Amino acid sequence: MEVVLADTLLSRCGDRAALLRALSAPLCAERAEALRLLLQRLAAGGPAAAGEAEALRRAAWEVALERCRPLLRGGEGAAGCGERVRAARAARGALRHCVQLCGAPLAARLARDALAELAAGGGAGAEEAAVEALVAAAPRLEEPELLSRCVAAALALVREEGEGEAAAALVAGRLLPALGGNGAALPRVWEGLLGAGGAPRAGRALLALSALADALLPRGPAGPGLDARLCPRFWRLVQEGLTERDGLCRKRARYLLKRALDLSGGQRAELRCPPDGGHESSLFWWSAEKNEQLLQFWETYILIMETLEGNQIHVIKPVLPKLNSLYELAISGDKGCWLFHPSWHMCIYRRMFESENKTLTKEGILHFLELYETKHLPNPLGFSEFVIGPLMDALSESSLYSRTPGQSIGACPPLGIRLQKFLATYLTLLPEEEKGSFLLKFIQKMTSRHWCAVPILFLSMALASIPACKVLGAEGLHALRDVLQCTMITHQILLRGAAQCYLLQTTMHLTDVEKVSFPEVSSFLLSLRPEESLRRDTLLWTELCSWLQGNDRCFRKSVTSDFEHQETSSLCQYVHSLVGEYFKTPASERENCFMPDWFEAKLVSTMILLAADVEQMKNKYSGKSNIEWIELEAFLNPLLDVLMKLGSNAYIPTVKTDKSLQLLLKLLQTRWLKCSNSQDETVNLCLKVNWKKMPSIKNFLSSLINASIRNLQERNSEKEPKMKEQIRKVASMASLAAVCEIMGGKPEAHLESLPSVDALKKFISFSQFNEVLKKPSHVEEKNSLCDETTSQGWGKIVARYIRDQWICLRFVLNSFPTLPQGYEETSEMSFSTVERSKKTLQSALEALSILPSDQVLPVFDCMKVLVPKLLDSSESLCIEAFDLAWKIISSLSNTQLIFWANLKAFAQFIFDTEVLAVAASAKGQAYAKIKEIIFKLIDLSTTKTGVFNVVLSHCCQSWIFPTVDERSALTNAFLNAGNYSELITEACVFGTVFRRDQRYIKKSLKNLCDLCFTISTNRDDHYVRVCAVKFLCLVDASNILHKAFMEDIFIKLLDKDELVSRSRTRYYANSLQHRVKNRVWQTLLVLLPKLNQNFLCGALDRVFQAGFSNNQASVKYFIEWIIILSLHKYPQFLDKFWDCFCYDEEKLKTSICTFLSVLAHFDIILQNTSEKKPALKKALIVVLQWCFNHNFSVRLYALVALKKIWGMCRMLRVEEFEALTPVIESSLQQVENMHGTGNARRNWQRIQDHFFFATFHPVEDYSLETIFYTLPRLSELAEDEWISLSKFDRFTDIPLPPAFQGYHSRRELRDLKPSDWSQQDMGSHSVEADSQPEWTDVQKKIIPWKNSTPSLDLETAFQDRAAKLGKSNSRLIVVASLIDKPTNLGGLCRTSEIFGASALVVGSLHYIQDKQFQHLSVSAEQWLPLVEVKPSQLVDYLQQKKTEGYTIIGVEQTAKSFDLTEYCFPEKSLLLLGNEHEGIPANLIHHLDVCVEIPQQGIIRSLNVHVSGALLIWEYTRQQVIKQKQQ
């Protein structure tokens, strides 16, 4: 209609130029649109008379420069933003038509002005206006120099990063395609987009190339112009676009690929893109002879890429087998080379690796790693870069290393296994000269980012599994050291230790020893932490020694080394030189007040012991058994020389003495690393001395004690002490502490009989505790820097001095009660008085407050002796001691090295048998405080694994196996178990639900059992429950104390189960509530055989009540098992059981299956009953009534029970039931044969085959393995709830009773696999389908491309959506302004985009930000023009569309509405949809041209508005498709 009106106006107007001028002053939005239309008709109207043509050109010139250009700059326009956008859009169109009328002169003028504006800057708006001017001018530019300037300016803008994003997108989407339309500029644009230097980023280049597709990939016959298919850089850009994170880039890349394939398939011509960078295979080629093979390959390829866009694993997984057919098509069987460039396959994998769906990522990685294992692939260079780049980036996700459901606990996950096989296979296929560089880059990648602990562990494991080959040099060794020092510094200690072991094995397997020197190897070894991985007396240490021995003469000679003696090994020569260099002290450092670096001492000590062990291994079979000590003596001669001179040479440098002492300490620590502390080292060293020399040792110790006491008793008359006096006191106290440790730790040496011991006890008893030594006076005369350093060191010396005091006091407190009673009464130093003990405890509290946390162990030990004596008289002081001790322990929870030793001492103090007993007897504040600490420890254990384990182990051992201690007034230690039963109760249900990342770490730890470092199994969370269960197994039912304790635990566990049930009536499987209930009933099962009849009579009622709850499957099985065992042992409880069936149906509807399951084992229940017939009669009556229940599951359970009970009746030949025989047997026969089709028959068979009814025997299967491993596994409980028997064997702190029965499950039950009949409705063909090599048919999402132009300027933010996408020829507008629910709008948006509506009108564009909208639209709003029209503006909008020729159609039921099946939609249709509740308002119905209604057959009055709209949109589309086919 607009065109007709414009043509009529022009034909009747005498002066067209005047008309243009009149229409353009002033130029508002409506005038601009009219002007654009008139100029369009004039440009398309053909040549005019000469005079008129010149006048039109002048008028168009004026309109372009004086009206349109200012309007584009924003100088004119309406006040509203929408009006301004309309005016600017119309001005752009008018400017293009002005250039068509005026030709090259106006184009050149516009281009020069625009280039000048771009050069001058002026902001984003000015840039966009200049670009629009260039877009209009580009097709008519003729001057080569000006054309070159325009192309250069356009390329500069499109390469620009930062704030000019909108202008760059406009250039890529409009200007470059416009310049490309000019034949002279197309080669320059092409070179600029794909040139070697400074090409724009992929998204912008693809946008421009998509718009230039007609010129670069013409659909007609091949011409002499540019052909993008012959340019390797074009294909690299397409591949980059296929793997971009932006979905729009991927769509444009697929469009170009499809366009090129469609062109090649249609032409069937010979075509080959030149190789890129000298590769053997071309990125793209075509051949008429292999046209079908090529089409098959590319169709499969595009199917896979488009399916990956869906991100839905159930859609994608059936397509993945087609990757195998791609490889079959891509590799030539005859030549063994790639027919298609392998980078196309890498695009698929990279797309999968970067998917948001981690399941898809894992599938992609596994498939890629299988390639070299299953297919003989030629090796391209690109694979190595791909492995080191995208593959390793994808491998950094911890969640990918989870086990499959069928794998056992502790098994290596599939990804870990595949990774090992892949690296081993791939490296063997690489050429020798490339192996080293590949592995070096692989290891360097492990240092280039922060990796989580789990991926690093499995990458290290894969490196260690590579077959031995010499490929790594010094650079590789440095890279491995960087992994140890940088990447893993914050990792969990056990995983870090495991990775260190694997990396050391990698070093030994892959290092070319001829390229590395001993200093480089020693530097690497120093990065391994002895307490975590590399230490003596381990397999790894032995393997390292063997490697050093075997390659001794092969290592590269260091520049500084001088190995002259050929009879001595290279390692020994290196160590000799290392020790010599260590003791060299330059003159400049001799008086340095700083302590030397420990790093050097650690290096020298490690290499000394390694060299000694290597020499011992070398001479193992030569008869020289003392070779280690010979070599050690040779290595340590320089050290011994220095040590011998310490007391005699006054001029020896301080640095040298410090270094010698450091080296000595490091040697001791490395030599006896397994010992718990340095005191044990001293004790072991003393006991290794020949017993014949013991008298001389005793004389030495006596002299040492007496001399030390004299030194400590000396009083200095001077005010300021001197350094030597204070150091003498420190050394004397340390000597006394060492002697006390020796006497207390090794009583078999009988050192306490020494005469000097009494003097030691007396001296310690009357010493002033926590005495602080003053800093020596001459230290303060030093300079300030040296003073600061010495002050810090002196603080450590004083702390050690105080600690040594408490070590001595600990010895006195522990040994004094062993004296004869008479001596104790008359002794002055007796500690039996309350005041003396109180004063000592106060000193202990003071020591706790001033000592560093790693020095408080002896104080805890002393408090353990003192607190029981003071709980009655000084309870508040004891509580203060408890609080302060807990404060220290809680503050150390993040300190790995000293926390556990302190925690053990804390547990021995707080939970000392006598402390607990005295506190419980008084039932005062101390008793409450201990219970409070118990729950604080449990809370701490939920975040720090292993805390509860330490406490529980100590308590259980001291309660069940109390030690003989004369000072203990406790007659029976087991009383504490009853007084603190909360500890055992909480232990029985202990366990946390870990976060996902924590679960991956815990599962990975289970793979580390075979490594050469020891993992503390006692820190496993399962240990808590294993310890509690073993403790309960040791309880003796015949003991009155034990019996009361068991009954108390049983009741408290039932209380806990009820508490969980009340807190949440429904709970999820494997939730914390589910796990707690499961643990409760497991423990109750362990206790059940020990309970007597009287107690069980009352407790069984509560068990029945628990059966009425809504329980998960595993809990239900345990409850049923307990009921069966109780009735089996005490059949007299059957009457209580029958009462459970008498409740109303409302209470039984969720629980009746539990009690019917019990009846399914009725033969077990009646084993101990002589009169079986009455019980069978009652059971039959009960079961028959439930066989007719309306619930299908209840009927199934009842029929299973009926089958069991009726079989028993027939065996006993019960005469009373003869009359029922035909009815029951026919019913059971009908169940077997007549459950015809569908799931009914399958479910009947499954419930009979279910383990609980078919295999499980409640009596014979009663065992720890069944309770804690087999049943949880069969009931599909989470794996971390399965406790295997190996854990019961491994945790040896508490043994099981010697005569313990019921350890293993029966083999029949142990071999079963999980199968819950109620969860098996997936169909019997699912497994078969998964095993198919390739699916016969797969889902394929429709992605049309041939009939649509790619969205050229979708990214231009300044244009409205209606102008962005001109991709559809549809003239349908869907108006949804009356709809206010985001879900309906999101669904309509998706439907409108799929069927190609020209626009969707909404009441507010804010809806597209709503998450519910986006969930339903699935990004359709990015592809569909959206227009905002508020409901109040609808009348004006509808009137405007009527003037544009649209028919306004309302979707509403009215008196005159048309049936949808009979209505013929006009091409230009506007669908108006009503509100969800009110429909279309009456005031809008009058503006409709027609109403259409959907015919209905049902009772409901109306459809959902989205559904109604979708039906009409489809009907419109269907009619238009039919019309197009007819034309």
Side-chain angles (χ1 to χ4, degrees), residues 678-697:
S678 58
Q679 302 292 345
D680 288 337
E681 298 167 13
T682 309
V683 172
N684 290 334
L685 198 60
C686 291
L687 291 179
K688 287 183 179 179
V689 178
N690 195 318
W691 284 101
K692 294 180 180 180
K693 298 181 179 180
M694 185 56 69
S696 59
I697 292 176

Side-chain angles (χ1 to χ4, degrees), residues 575-586 589 596-605 608 638-639 642 655-666:
V575 173
H576 280 298
S577 65
L578 189 66
V579 174
E581 289 293 327
Y582 177 75
F583 284 108
K584 288 182 180 179
T585 53
E589 298 181 5
D597 190 359
W598 284 94
F599 178 88
E600 195 174 357
K602 180 182 175 184
L603 171 65
V604 175
S605 63
I608 286 175
L639 173 62
V642 177
V655 174
K656 196 168 187 178
T657 60
D658 289 340
K659 281 189 170 184
S660 64
L661 294 173
Q662 280 183 338
L663 180 57
L664 178 61
L665 182 59
K666 281 295 177 185

Side-chain angles (χ1 to χ4, degrees), residues 236 239 242-243 301 305 323 327 338 341-353 368 371-372 377 380 382-387 390-391:
R236 286 297 183 195
Q239 289 181 345
L242 289 174
T243 57
Y301 186 85
M305 293 300 290
L323 265 172
Y327 283 104
W338 291 90
H341 201 279
S343 57
W344 291 107
H345 298 269
M346 299 305 103
C347 291
I348 296 177
Y349 289 116
R350 189 167 182 176
R351 179 75 189 90
M352 296 171 72
F353 294 170
F368 179 82
L371 287 179
Y372 281 91
L377 300 183
F383 266 49
S384 295
E385 283 78 7
F386 184 80
V387 170
L391 177 62

Side-chain angles (χ1 to χ4, degrees), residues 904-915:
K904 186 175 181 180
F906 172 80
Q908 291 172 351
F909 158 46
I910 299 289
F911 299 97
D912 178 72
T913 304
E914 193 169 355
V915 173

Side-chain angles (χ1 to χ4, degrees), residues 1015-1058:
I1015 297 175
S1016 177
T1017 54
N1018 290 359
R1019 294 182 193 169
D1020 189 336
D1021 269 349
H1022 283 167
Y1023 174 78
V1024 176
R1025 293 170 59 206
V1026 168
C1027 184
V1029 169
K1030 281 190 165 186
F1031 179 80
L1032 294 176
C1033 291
L1034 288 169
V1035 173
D1036 183 7
S1038 61
N1039 185 301
I1040 298 176
L1041 279 179
H1042 291 202
K1043 174 178 172 293
F1045 169 75
M1046 284 189 301
E1047 293 174 355
D1048 182 46
I1049 292 291
F1050 199 91
I1051 296 300
K1052 285 182 176 178
L1053 288 172
L1054 286 174
D1055 292 340
K1056 186 170 283 291
D1057 178 75
E1058 290 181 7

Side-chain angles (χ1 to χ4, degrees), residues 1415-1469:
H1415 181 70
L1416 269 295
S1417 69
V1418 290
S1419 78
E1421 68 274 10
Q1422 300 179 21
W1423 309 99
L1424 175 70
L1426 298 180
V1427 181
E1428 180 179 280
V1429 177
K1430 298 185 182 303
S1432 59
Q1433 302 170 338
L1434 269 179
V1435 174
D1436 295 336
Y1437 179 76
L1438 296 178
Q1439 291 299 329
Q1440 176 189 342
K1441 290 303 173 184
K1442 277 189 179 183
T1443 60
E1444 295 176 8
Y1446 278 89
T1447 300
I1448 312 301
I1449 304 169
V1451 185
E1452 188 61 87
Q1453 295 171 327
T1454 65
K1456 298 180 180 179
S1457 57
F1458 286 83
D1459 192 308
L1460 176 61
T1461 59
E1462 300 172 358
Y1463 182 72
C1464 181
F1465 285 89
E1467 182 181 0
K1468 297 182 72 172
S1469 294

